[in-house]
PDB file of all heavy atoms in Angstrom:
ATOM      1  N   GLY A   1       4.037  -6.921   7.615  1.00 78.00           N
ATOM      2  CA  GLY A   1       2.673  -7.186   8.052  1.00 78.00           C
ATOM      3  C   GLY A   1       1.664  -6.179   7.567  1.00 78.00           C
ATOM      4  O   GLY A   1       0.457  -6.369   7.787  1.00 78.00           O
ATOM      5  N   LYS A   2       2.091  -5.151   6.879  1.00 84.00           N
ATOM      6  CA  LYS A   2       1.148  -4.146   6.341  1.00 84.00           C
ATOM      7  C   LYS A   2       0.478  -4.704   5.089  1.00 84.00           C
ATOM      8  O   LYS A   2       1.081  -5.425   4.305  1.00 84.00           O
ATOM      9  CB  LYS A   2       1.897  -2.856   5.979  1.00 84.00           C
ATOM     10  CG  LYS A   2       2.521  -2.125   7.177  1.00 84.00           C
ATOM     11  CD  LYS A   2       1.482  -1.284   7.884  1.00 84.00           C
ATOM     12  CE  LYS A   2       2.162  -0.379   8.920  1.00 84.00           C
ATOM     13  NZ  LYS A   2       1.180   0.453   9.625  1.00 84.00           N
ATOM     14  N   LYS A   3      -0.786  -4.330   4.882  1.00 85.00           N
ATOM     15  CA  LYS A   3      -1.446  -4.674   3.645  1.00 85.00           C
ATOM     16  C   LYS A   3      -0.958  -3.754   2.540  1.00 85.00           C
ATOM     17  O   LYS A   3      -0.738  -2.559   2.762  1.00 85.00           O
ATOM     18  CB  LYS A   3      -2.968  -4.581   3.790  1.00 85.00           C
ATOM     19  CG  LYS A   3      -3.565  -5.662   4.679  1.00 85.00           C
ATOM     20  CD  LYS A   3      -5.086  -5.582   4.687  1.00 85.00           C
ATOM     21  CE  LYS A   3      -5.671  -6.737   5.511  1.00 85.00           C
ATOM     22  NZ  LYS A   3      -7.171  -6.675   5.529  1.00 85.00           N
ATOM     23  N   LEU A   4      -0.784  -4.323   1.349  1.00 86.00           N
ATOM     24  CA  LEU A   4      -0.230  -3.570   0.239  1.00 86.00           C
ATOM     25  C   LEU A   4      -1.040  -2.306  -0.039  1.00 86.00           C
ATOM     26  O   LEU A   4      -0.483  -1.237  -0.316  1.00 86.00           O
ATOM     27  CB  LEU A   4      -0.140  -4.453  -1.011  1.00 86.00           C
ATOM     28  CG  LEU A   4       0.422  -3.835  -2.274  1.00 86.00           C
ATOM     29  CD1 LEU A   4       1.849  -3.333  -2.038  1.00 86.00           C
ATOM     30  CD2 LEU A   4       0.402  -4.828  -3.423  1.00 86.00           C
ATOM     31  N   GLY A   5      -2.362  -2.423   0.026  1.00 85.00           N
ATOM     32  CA  GLY A   5      -3.219  -1.293  -0.276  1.00 85.00           C
ATOM     33  C   GLY A   5      -3.038  -0.121   0.675  1.00 85.00           C
ATOM     34  O   GLY A   5      -3.281   1.040   0.289  1.00 85.00           O
ATOM     35  N   THR A   6      -2.635  -0.374   1.915  1.00 87.00           N
ATOM     36  CA  THR A   6      -2.483   0.704   2.890  1.00 87.00           C
ATOM     37  C   THR A   6      -1.243   1.553   2.642  1.00 87.00           C
ATOM     38  O   THR A   6      -1.101   2.617   3.227  1.00 87.00           O
ATOM     39  CB  THR A   6      -2.394   0.129   4.315  1.00 87.00           C
ATOM     40  OG1 THR A   6      -1.235  -0.688   4.441  1.00 87.00           O
ATOM     41  CG2 THR A   6      -3.630  -0.697   4.640  1.00 87.00           C
ATOM     42  N   LEU A   7      -0.343   1.096   1.758  1.00 87.00           N
ATOM     43  CA  LEU A   7       0.882   1.864   1.458  1.00 87.00           C
ATOM     44  C   LEU A   7       0.607   2.942   0.424  1.00 87.00           C
ATOM     45  O   LEU A   7       1.405   3.887   0.310  1.00 87.00           O
ATOM     46  CB  LEU A   7       1.976   0.939   0.951  1.00 87.00           C
ATOM     47  CG  LEU A   7       2.369  -0.228   1.852  1.00 87.00           C
ATOM     48  CD1 LEU A   7       3.565  -0.998   1.256  1.00 87.00           C
ATOM     49  CD2 LEU A   7       2.678   0.240   3.258  1.00 87.00           C
ATOM     50  N   HIS A   8      -0.470   2.834  -0.348  1.00 84.00           N
ATOM     51  CA  HIS A   8      -0.882   3.845  -1.336  1.00 84.00           C
ATOM     52  C   HIS A   8       0.255   4.191  -2.281  1.00 84.00           C
ATOM     53  O   HIS A   8       0.500   5.370  -2.612  1.00 84.00           O
ATOM     54  CB  HIS A   8      -1.379   5.110  -0.622  1.00 84.00           C
ATOM     55  CG  HIS A   8      -2.502   4.861   0.332  1.00 84.00           C
ATOM     56  ND1 HIS A   8      -3.767   4.477  -0.048  1.00 84.00           N
ATOM     57  CD2 HIS A   8      -2.543   4.954   1.699  1.00 84.00           C
ATOM     58  CE1 HIS A   8      -4.523   4.328   1.016  1.00 84.00           C
ATOM     59  NE2 HIS A   8      -3.807   4.605   2.095  1.00 84.00           N
ATOM     60  N   LEU A   9       0.971   3.153  -2.748  1.00 85.00           N
ATOM     61  CA  LEU A   9       2.109   3.394  -3.625  1.00 85.00           C
ATOM     62  C   LEU A   9       1.697   4.010  -4.945  1.00 85.00           C
ATOM     63  O   LEU A   9       2.413   4.835  -5.519  1.00 85.00           O
ATOM     64  CB  LEU A   9       2.853   2.083  -3.878  1.00 85.00           C
ATOM     65  CG  LEU A   9       3.481   1.401  -2.649  1.00 85.00           C
ATOM     66  CD1 LEU A   9       4.189   0.120  -3.079  1.00 85.00           C
ATOM     67  CD2 LEU A   9       4.465   2.340  -1.955  1.00 85.00           C
ATOM     68  N   ARG A  10       0.520   3.657  -5.432  1.00 80.00           N
ATOM     69  CA  ARG A  10       0.044   4.169  -6.713  1.00 80.00           C
ATOM     70  C   ARG A  10      -0.274   5.651  -6.624  1.00 80.00           C
ATOM     71  O   ARG A  10       0.116   6.438  -7.499  1.00 80.00           O
ATOM     72  CB  ARG A  10      -1.189   3.385  -7.180  1.00 80.00           C
ATOM     73  CG  ARG A  10      -1.805   3.896  -8.473  1.00 80.00           C
ATOM     74  CD  ARG A  10      -2.997   3.048  -8.889  1.00 80.00           C
ATOM     75  NE  ARG A  10      -2.585   1.732  -9.336  1.00 80.00           N
ATOM     76  CZ  ARG A  10      -3.439   0.759  -9.656  1.00 80.00           C
ATOM     77  NH1 ARG A  10      -4.729   0.981  -9.566  1.00 80.00           N
ATOM     78  NH2 ARG A  10      -2.991  -0.398 -10.075  1.00 80.00           N
ATOM     79  N   ASN A  11      -0.931   6.070  -5.545  1.00 79.00           N
ATOM     80  CA  ASN A  11      -1.321   7.447  -5.430  1.00 79.00           C
ATOM     81  C   ASN A  11      -0.164   8.358  -5.025  1.00 79.00           C
ATOM     82  O   ASN A  11      -0.080   9.510  -5.472  1.00 79.00           O
ATOM     83  CB  ASN A  11      -2.448   7.576  -4.373  1.00 79.00           C
ATOM     84  CG  ASN A  11      -3.708   6.839  -4.785  1.00 79.00           C
ATOM     85  OD1 ASN A  11      -3.988   6.711  -5.981  1.00 79.00           O
ATOM     86  ND2 ASN A  11      -4.472   6.364  -3.827  1.00 79.00           N
ATOM     87  N   ILE A  12       0.727   7.852  -4.160  1.00 83.00           N
ATOM     88  CA  ILE A  12       1.808   8.710  -3.651  1.00 83.00           C
ATOM     89  C   ILE A  12       2.992   8.756  -4.616  1.00 83.00           C
ATOM     90  O   ILE A  12       3.552   9.837  -4.869  1.00 83.00           O
ATOM     91  CB  ILE A  12       2.265   8.213  -2.271  1.00 83.00           C
ATOM     92  CG1 ILE A  12       1.113   8.297  -1.247  1.00 83.00           C
ATOM     93  CG2 ILE A  12       3.474   9.002  -1.765  1.00 83.00           C
ATOM     94  CD1 ILE A  12       1.449   7.717   0.112  1.00 83.00           C
ATOM     95  N   TYR A  13       3.367   7.601  -5.161  1.00 83.00           N
ATOM     96  CA  TYR A  13       4.578   7.532  -5.975  1.00 83.00           C
ATOM     97  C   TYR A  13       4.285   7.356  -7.460  1.00 83.00           C
ATOM     98  O   TYR A  13       5.231   7.331  -8.264  1.00 83.00           O
ATOM     99  CB  TYR A  13       5.470   6.373  -5.503  1.00 83.00           C
ATOM    100  CG  TYR A  13       5.955   6.560  -4.082  1.00 83.00           C
ATOM    101  CD1 TYR A  13       5.334   5.934  -3.020  1.00 83.00           C
ATOM    102  CD2 TYR A  13       7.069   7.361  -3.813  1.00 83.00           C
ATOM    103  CE1 TYR A  13       5.788   6.078  -1.713  1.00 83.00           C
ATOM    104  CE2 TYR A  13       7.521   7.541  -2.516  1.00 83.00           C
ATOM    105  CZ  TYR A  13       6.892   6.887  -1.469  1.00 83.00           C
ATOM    106  OH  TYR A  13       7.329   7.052  -0.200  1.00 83.00           O
ATOM    107  N   ASP A  14       3.039   7.187  -7.846  1.00 81.00           N
ATOM    108  CA  ASP A  14       2.664   7.021  -9.245  1.00 81.00           C
ATOM    109  C   ASP A  14       3.328   5.770  -9.845  1.00 81.00           C
ATOM    110  O   ASP A  14       3.881   5.817 -10.952  1.00 81.00           O
ATOM    111  CB  ASP A  14       3.037   8.260 -10.050  1.00 81.00           C
ATOM    112  CG  ASP A  14       2.241   8.335 -11.369  1.00 81.00           C
ATOM    113  OD1 ASP A  14       1.172   7.717 -11.448  1.00 81.00           O
ATOM    114  OD2 ASP A  14       2.759   8.957 -12.312  1.00 81.00           O
ATOM    115  N   VAL A  15       3.291   4.658  -9.102  1.00 84.00           N
ATOM    116  CA  VAL A  15       3.813   3.376  -9.588  1.00 84.00           C
ATOM    117  C   VAL A  15       2.761   2.304  -9.357  1.00 84.00           C
ATOM    118  O   VAL A  15       1.824   2.473  -8.593  1.00 84.00           O
ATOM    119  CB  VAL A  15       5.130   2.985  -8.871  1.00 84.00           C
ATOM    120  CG1 VAL A  15       6.192   4.023  -9.108  1.00 84.00           C
ATOM    121  CG2 VAL A  15       4.895   2.720  -7.397  1.00 84.00           C
ATOM    122  N   ASN A  16       2.937   1.184 -10.036  1.00 82.00           N
ATOM    123  CA  ASN A  16       2.071   0.022  -9.842  1.00 82.00           C
ATOM    124  C   ASN A  16       2.926  -1.156  -9.392  1.00 82.00           C
ATOM    125  O   ASN A  16       4.027  -1.363  -9.896  1.00 82.00           O
ATOM    126  CB  ASN A  16       1.343  -0.359 -11.134  1.00 82.00           C
ATOM    127  CG  ASN A  16       0.120   0.503 -11.332  1.00 82.00           C
ATOM    128  OD1 ASN A  16      -0.702   0.633 -10.450  1.00 82.00           O
ATOM    129  ND2 ASN A  16      -0.005   1.083 -12.519  1.00 82.00           N
ATOM    130  N   VAL A  17       2.418  -1.940  -8.444  1.00 86.00           N
ATOM    131  CA  VAL A  17       3.015  -3.209  -8.050  1.00 86.00           C
ATOM    132  C   VAL A  17       2.244  -4.315  -8.761  1.00 86.00           C
ATOM    133  O   VAL A  17       1.056  -4.486  -8.525  1.00 86.00           O
ATOM    134  CB  VAL A  17       2.972  -3.416  -6.509  1.00 86.00           C
ATOM    135  CG1 VAL A  17       3.647  -4.728  -6.146  1.00 86.00           C
ATOM    136  CG2 VAL A  17       3.637  -2.247  -5.799  1.00 86.00           C
ATOM    137  N   SER A  18       2.923  -5.030  -9.652  1.00 78.00           N
ATOM    138  CA  SER A  18       2.231  -6.019 -10.470  1.00 78.00           C
ATOM    139  C   SER A  18       2.230  -7.409  -9.826  1.00 78.00           C
ATOM    140  O   SER A  18       1.323  -8.202 -10.022  1.00 78.00           O
ATOM    141  CB  SER A  18       2.848  -6.103 -11.846  1.00 78.00           C
ATOM    142  OG  SER A  18       4.229  -6.482 -11.772  1.00 78.00           O
ATOM    143  N   ARG A  19       3.289  -7.720  -9.063  1.00 81.00           N
ATOM    144  CA  ARG A  19       3.341  -9.035  -8.403  1.00 81.00           C
ATOM    145  C   ARG A  19       4.288  -8.971  -7.221  1.00 81.00           C
ATOM    146  O   ARG A  19       5.118  -8.090  -7.136  1.00 81.00           O
ATOM    147  CB  ARG A  19       3.772 -10.136  -9.379  1.00 81.00           C
ATOM    148  CG  ARG A  19       5.222 -10.088  -9.771  1.00 81.00           C
ATOM    149  CD  ARG A  19       5.578 -11.251 -10.691  1.00 81.00           C
ATOM    150  NE  ARG A  19       5.261 -10.957 -12.079  1.00 81.00           N
ATOM    151  CZ  ARG A  19       5.431 -11.814 -13.068  1.00 81.00           C
ATOM    152  NH1 ARG A  19       5.898 -13.032 -12.836  1.00 81.00           N
ATOM    153  NH2 ARG A  19       5.148 -11.508 -14.317  1.00 81.00           N
ATOM    154  N   VAL A  20       4.135  -9.925  -6.323  1.00 84.00           N
ATOM    155  CA  VAL A  20       4.993 -10.049  -5.153  1.00 84.00           C
ATOM    156  C   VAL A  20       5.519 -11.485  -5.125  1.00 84.00           C
ATOM    157  O   VAL A  20       4.765 -12.448  -5.243  1.00 84.00           O
ATOM    158  CB  VAL A  20       4.219  -9.755  -3.850  1.00 84.00           C
ATOM    159  CG1 VAL A  20       5.107 -10.024  -2.637  1.00 84.00           C
ATOM    160  CG2 VAL A  20       3.716  -8.322  -3.843  1.00 84.00           C
ATOM    161  N   ILE A  21       6.827 -11.625  -5.040  1.00 80.00           N
ATOM    162  CA  ILE A  21       7.465 -12.933  -5.025  1.00 80.00           C
ATOM    163  C   ILE A  21       7.886 -13.241  -3.594  1.00 80.00           C
ATOM    164  O   ILE A  21       8.655 -12.475  -2.996  1.00 80.00           O
ATOM    165  CB  ILE A  21       8.676 -12.998  -5.976  1.00 80.00           C
ATOM    166  CG1 ILE A  21       8.239 -12.629  -7.402  1.00 80.00           C
ATOM    167  CG2 ILE A  21       9.303 -14.396  -5.945  1.00 80.00           C
ATOM    168  CD1 ILE A  21       9.372 -12.560  -8.381  1.00 80.00           C
ATOM    169  N   ARG A  22       7.377 -14.317  -3.042  1.00 75.00           N
ATOM    170  CA  ARG A  22       7.688 -14.742  -1.666  1.00 75.00           C
ATOM    171  C   ARG A  22       8.285 -16.144  -1.749  1.00 75.00           C
ATOM    172  O   ARG A  22       7.596 -17.113  -2.010  1.00 75.00           O
ATOM    173  CB  ARG A  22       6.409 -14.738  -0.815  1.00 75.00           C
ATOM    174  CG  ARG A  22       6.616 -15.113   0.645  1.00 75.00           C
ATOM    175  CD  ARG A  22       5.314 -14.883   1.416  1.00 75.00           C
ATOM    176  NE  ARG A  22       4.934 -13.472   1.351  1.00 75.00           N
ATOM    177  CZ  ARG A  22       3.703 -13.027   1.564  1.00 75.00           C
ATOM    178  NH1 ARG A  22       2.730 -13.897   1.848  1.00 75.00           N
ATOM    179  NH2 ARG A  22       3.429 -11.733   1.508  1.00 75.00           N
ATOM    180  N   GLY A  23       9.583 -16.200  -1.494  1.00 67.00           N
ATOM    181  CA  GLY A  23      10.264 -17.496  -1.691  1.00 67.00           C
ATOM    182  C   GLY A  23      10.261 -17.837  -3.168  1.00 67.00           C
ATOM    183  O   GLY A  23      10.764 -17.092  -3.984  1.00 67.00           O
ATOM    184  N   ASP A  24       9.632 -18.947  -3.537  1.00 62.00           N
ATOM    185  CA  ASP A  24       9.521 -19.337  -4.932  1.00 62.00           C
ATOM    186  C   ASP A  24       8.089 -19.121  -5.459  1.00 62.00           C
ATOM    187  O   ASP A  24       7.774 -19.506  -6.564  1.00 62.00           O
ATOM    188  CB  ASP A  24       9.861 -20.826  -5.110  1.00 62.00           C
ATOM    189  CG  ASP A  24      11.345 -21.085  -4.874  1.00 62.00           C
ATOM    190  OD1 ASP A  24      12.139 -20.189  -5.139  1.00 62.00           O
ATOM    191  OD2 ASP A  24      11.679 -22.192  -4.388  1.00 62.00           O
TER     192      ASP A  24
END
């Protein structure tokens, strides 16, 4: 239920999330 932006993956881990697959 968290918004992707609130995880700050880019700033904390220096990675990018390009897409999210949910089911198909």
Side-chain angles (χ1 to χ4, degrees):
K2 295 279 189 180
K3 289 185 177 180
L4 180 60
T6 63
L7 304 185
H8 304 292
L9 298 179
R10 177 178 289 175
N11 296 331
I12 297 175
Y13 297 98
D14 199 24
V15 300
N16 278 310
V17 181
S18 61
R19 72 178 83 182
V20 175
I21 303 176
R22 182 172 300 159
D24 291 331

